[in-house]
Structure formats: C-alpha cells, structure tokens
Amino acid sequence: MGWERLLASGRAGLYLLAAFPSGVAAMVALPLLAAATVLMPLGTGSLLLPRLLTAVRRWGESEHRRALQRLGSPPPPAAPQAPARLRELVREPATRRALRALPVHALLGPAAGIIGLTGVVGVPTTLVEMSVWWALPEPATFLGIEAGGWGFAIVGGLAETAVYATLFFWGSPVVATGYARLLDRLLSPSPAETEAARLTGRVEELSHTRAEALKAHGDELRRIERDLHDGTQARLVDLAMRVGVAEQLVSSDPDRAAELLSQVRGRAEEAMAELRDVIRTMYPPILADRGLDGAVSALGARCAVPTRVHVGELGEVPASVQAAAYFVVAEALTNTAKHAQASSASVRIDRAGAALLVEVSDDGVGGAEGGTAPDSAEGGGEGGTGLSGIRRRVAALDGTTSVTSPAGGPTLITVELPCES
Amino acid sequence: MRVVIVEDNTILAEGLKLLLETGGHTVAAVLGDAEGLLGAVDEHSPDVVIADVRLPPAYREEGLRAAIDARRARPGLPILVFSQYVEEVYASELFADGARGVGYLLKDRVARVEEFLDALTRVAAGGTAMDPEVVGQLLTRRKRPLSRLTPRERDVLALMAEGRDNTEIAERLVVTDGAVHKHIGRIFSKLGLADGDTGHRRVRAVLAYLGT
C-alpha cells in the first residue's frame, strides 16, 4: 500500500466528489424539465425545453465518458451532433438515455458526493479535531461519543481516523466503481444502436474505398490507353511512314529501300512484343485459356525458384479479379526469382467468403519493403511492376495488400480481393 | 511443301498464304477451325500443318488440343503451332509426345520470312522448332546449373533448344561448324548429358534437361 494506492483512492474520491455538484444540478434540472414541458403550450416552454434537453444530453455524454474513464474502458464513440429540432431531439436515443439517468443521478449523485467528501476530508479533519479538541467551542465527539479528556480524545480520535481511512482506502473506490458501472449501464447505447452506428461507419468507409477504387481503376485505364497510344499506335504510324518512304525509293534507290524495309521489320517485331506485354497486363491470354488455376500453375512451373501452387475451390470469380490475382502472383514470383535468393516459394489462392485470398511467400532474404530493396526502386521506376504495381492493381479493385518481409526473410505477401459488390 | 493452315483470322490466314506461296510452297487448305483437321489431313496429305492456338468455338486453346490429338491420331504428322503469345506449359504439353516434327512459334516470327520458312521446313522434315521466347524462359529457370556455361555456350544451347542443327547454329553465331561441334561437346559434358544424339533426339535431350 504505497503512493499508488493513495492516488487511486484519491481519484475515486474525486470521482465521487464531482458527482455532488452535478447531482445537485440534476435535482434542479428535473423540476425545470417538468415546468418547461408543462409550459410547452404557452410558447415559453418551446424555447426552454430544447435547450434543457440539449444540456441534459450533453451532461449524459460527459457523465458517460467520466464513468468509462473510471472503469478503465475506452471512451464511447463520438455521438452524432444533437439535432436542432425538438421532435428529433426527444426521439434521439442519446437524449432518452440521459433523461433516464437524470433522476437516478439526482437521487444518488449527491449521496455519492458525500461519501467521496467524507472519504477525502475525514482523516485530516479528525486528526485536526483530535489535536485541538480542548479549544473547540462545542464539545468534540469521536464516533459519536463526547470527548472528556486527552485519553479518550486520542483513543476515540484514532478509532475514528481508522474508520475514515478504511472508507477512504477501501470504501470510496468500491462505491466509485459501482456508481460508474450503474451510470455506464444507464448511458450506454443499446446493441442495436451500436450496430447501427457501426453500419453507418462501414458505409462511410466503403464509399471512401469505392471512390479510391474508381480512381485507381481510372488510372489503370489511362495507363493502358497511354501504353497503346504512345507505344503501339506510334509504332504503327512509324511503320506506315517507313513503308511509304521505302515504296517511293524502290526504283530510285533500291538499297536504301531495302535498308528501310529491314528497319520496318525490326520495328514491327518490337511493336508486337510491346503489344503482347500490354495485353498481358490487361488480361493474360492464358487466363482466358485455362482459368486462374491453370494460369497460376503455369506461373509456378515457370518460376526459377521451385514453387508449390495450391488453388482451392474458388467458385465464381469476376474476370477483373482473376486478372489481378494472376498479376499479383506473377509480380510476386518475379520478385522472388530476382531478389529473394529463395530456395522455395509457395502460392495459395483460396476463397474466403466474398473475397479471394492470394498468398505468395518465399523463404528468401526478405527486405522487400525496405528502401534499399530492389523491388521498390524497380516498382517506382517501371510503373507497372514490383510491390507498388501489386498495390495499385489491388487497390483498383478495392482490395487490400499486406507485405511482411523482415530483413533476413521470409517474405509473405497477402492480398484480399473482393469478389462481390 | 504442301501446307494445311488452321487459322480463323482471315487477315492472318491470307498473309500466311501469301508468304508461303511466295516462298514456292502450296497451301492445300485453309480451315477456320480445328473440326475438320483430320479430314483435311487425310484428303490433302500435307507435309506440314500450321495451327493457331486460339480457334472457334471458345477461342481458348482449341488449336493446341487439336494439334496434340492430331499427332496422336496420325503419328508423325508434322505440326507447327502458331500463336500470338507463348506459354511454357503449352510447349511442354505439345512436346510431351516427342519433339519429332513439332514446332511452337510466336506469330511474330513470320517477320523474318527466311527463318520462318526454315523452321517450317525443319518441322516438315521431322525436326523441331521451339520459339526463342520459350527457350529464354527455360534458360532463366535453370539459372544455377547453366551458370557453369560460358555466354557463348549458352547461346549455342539456346539455339539447340530452338531445334537448329549445327550448320544453322554456325551461321547464326558466325563461327565454323567445327567450333559449334566443340561448344556442344563441352555443353554436354558440363551438363552431364549423353553426347552423340543428333537431330530431334538431341533437341529432346536438351529440352528434357531444361525441364519441358
């Protein structure tokens, strides 16, 4: 029993003490509320009642916060703004809870305050009274018995001090916690209300991620458009131009024409290779041929690091999700082969409710997330590859990516892609 | 050579026909899907069949399936599978029944007309043509044992895996036949493969080593 105990008891005493003024205020508020309600038809009430109710509601919130703090629980979620209109204000659960707690607090709050007060001031006042009992105008009493001499003053005084100390150290914490528990019960939102608040929050979160997903999806479309526009389309223009020039030179300068045509062939090959890459990032042909299972197995078989592939029962998976899952596995395995120095890798794809779960792991050196890791640099540089490419692709479908890759390994990339909207 | 083409895309079928006929070959038939392949083979007895991978009705890998089936039904029928993209697994399935008279090439390869016709002739003669991109994938996969090879030896190995014979390899690398022969001997001893196989058996050995 040291300072901590003393502090804890002090806090309990203060908690109870504070209930005194607010309890008295509640006592005053009750008849005021009644009066305002009665005065409603006269007009004065309609001015007074909303203000009173708002004040009561606010008190309820702060009292609940105090109670939860006392109980060591996390603070309640922020209550919505109090509605301005009386009808809505009365209907609101937060107002009703505060109104329910108000009479209880009017009754018990002052009592709790007195217990707190007694606990806090009992010991010091008794000690003072004990030492100056002879000088008091009224005869001092200890434990209800009048002190007639030093002997009794000391014995009785110490006994009373012990009683107050017991109250302070053991009584007030118990009473404070009990009272906080009572108020918490009265002021806590019902499960249905909590659920409604949770759902509202979820809707907000979803609209936010959906907006982000739409943006990411738009970015992805623009990237493909840019690849086709700056790459393939420009190359076709270049080809047409060179063929045209070669055609003109055929009779006058056949050597130059032949040289141009040879360039044309080389450039056509580059264009084909580039276009194949663009198509692969959009929707890999093998996915169309063999589905996700076959396509990912092919990736595993092709990887330079021995790779185990497990694909569970997936059910219906939208094409965009399949393409993203394939892309994630392809990029992750490319990283593994290039940087991880791994001796084995593993790919798991499973259906988890409404989501597709993709896991790629390896037993390599890790550090894929670090600033010095080649993937991050590469991801930034090439735009479409590495971890940043995976993240972007997954975000476009409102999915989540998590990467654990401590220095020294192992690396685990987990991606969750929603399959249903 | 008499060639049967299985290609549903008319632009590509026409282009291929032009290329082959300009090269002095005969296009016996152009099929839009794999359905009548065996019938056409029996009717025209072509020297080689060129089949696209994606064909009606589902546009998946009908051509690949048809090629594998046709080779089982008519053993020794040379087929070149021709695609806008290549996948290592497709190659391994196609070569599973042996590398004799099989080719697997990207459509891009038609740009080098002479090489393409060489590859086609090779397949028709019972040889092999494997696309460099697939070979590249295979070589990256077996990085570790292949690190013992010199860069030049790796080039030779890649060309062998593509199905080229010593003379072609020598031409491509601008060295003598004898030099190629020496390289091959060293590659085989470094990788622990039985030397002495020639033609498609050598290709098969190399591809088997690379893991198709």
Side-chain angles (χ1 to χ4, degrees), chain A residues 37-62:
Chain A
T37 314
V38 173
L39 287 175
M40 270 303 282
L42 295 177
T44 357
S46 63
L47 228 87
L48 200 59
L49 195 56
R51 280 169 204 202
L52 272 172
L53 284 176
T54 310
V56 169
R57 189 176 173 280
R58 203 171 295 144
W59 161 78
E61 276 169 35
S62 73

Side-chain angles (χ1 to χ4, degrees), chain A residues 169-254:
Chain A
F169 282 117
W170 284 277
S172 30
V174 170
V175 173
T177 305
Y179 193 56
R181 214 165 265 155
L182 174 71
L183 284 175
D184 177 38
R185 187 164 303 169
L186 288 170
L187 290 166
S188 275
S190 67
E193 206 184 318
T194 317
E195 179 64 7
R198 194 188 66 79
L199 286 177
T200 312
R202 179 81 186 125
V203 166
E204 268 166 32
E205 185 191 316
L206 281 179
S207 2
H208 179 68
T209 53
R210 182 167 162 73
E212 279 190 346
L214 281 176
K215 191 191 161 295
H217 192 248
D219 290 349
E220 197 64 11
L221 275 180
R222 266 193 293 281
R223 184 189 61 77
I224 292 167
E225 188 270 346
R226 210 168 37 237
D227 282 352
L228 290 177
H229 180 269
D230 296 351
T232 315
Q233 212 170 23
R235 283 177 185 279
L236 280 175
V237 171
D238 173 67
L239 288 182
M241 215 161 52
R242 275 165 207 273
V243 170
V245 175
E247 192 183 18
Q248 283 190 327
L249 290 179
V250 158
S251 49
S252 63
D253 188 353

Side-chain angles (χ1 to χ4, degrees), chain A residues 86-114:
Chain A
L86 181 61
R87 190 184 297 264
E88 288 164 35
L89 189 62
V90 173
R91 226 179 257 162
E92 234 214 353
T95 318
R96 302 198 150 198
R97 286 197 306 268
L99 282 175
R100 197 172 55 188
L102 194 66
V104 175
H105 192 58
L107 206 67
L108 298 180
I114 287 166

Side-chain angles (χ1 to χ4, degrees), chain A residues 265 269 276 285 288-290, chain B residues 61 85 90 93 108 111-112:
Chain A
R265 189 191 58 197
E269 284 173 332
R276 223 174 15 249
D289 292 357
R290 305 215 151 162
Chain B
E61 40 173 20
Y85 63 98
Y90 292 7
E93 288 169 15
D108 300 20
R112 297 177 188 268

Side-chain angles (χ1 to χ4, degrees), chain B residues 201-212:
Chain B
R201 285 181 60 191
R202 183 176 80 181
V203 180
R204 185 76 206 122
V206 169
L207 289 178
Y209 176 77
L210 292 175
T212 21

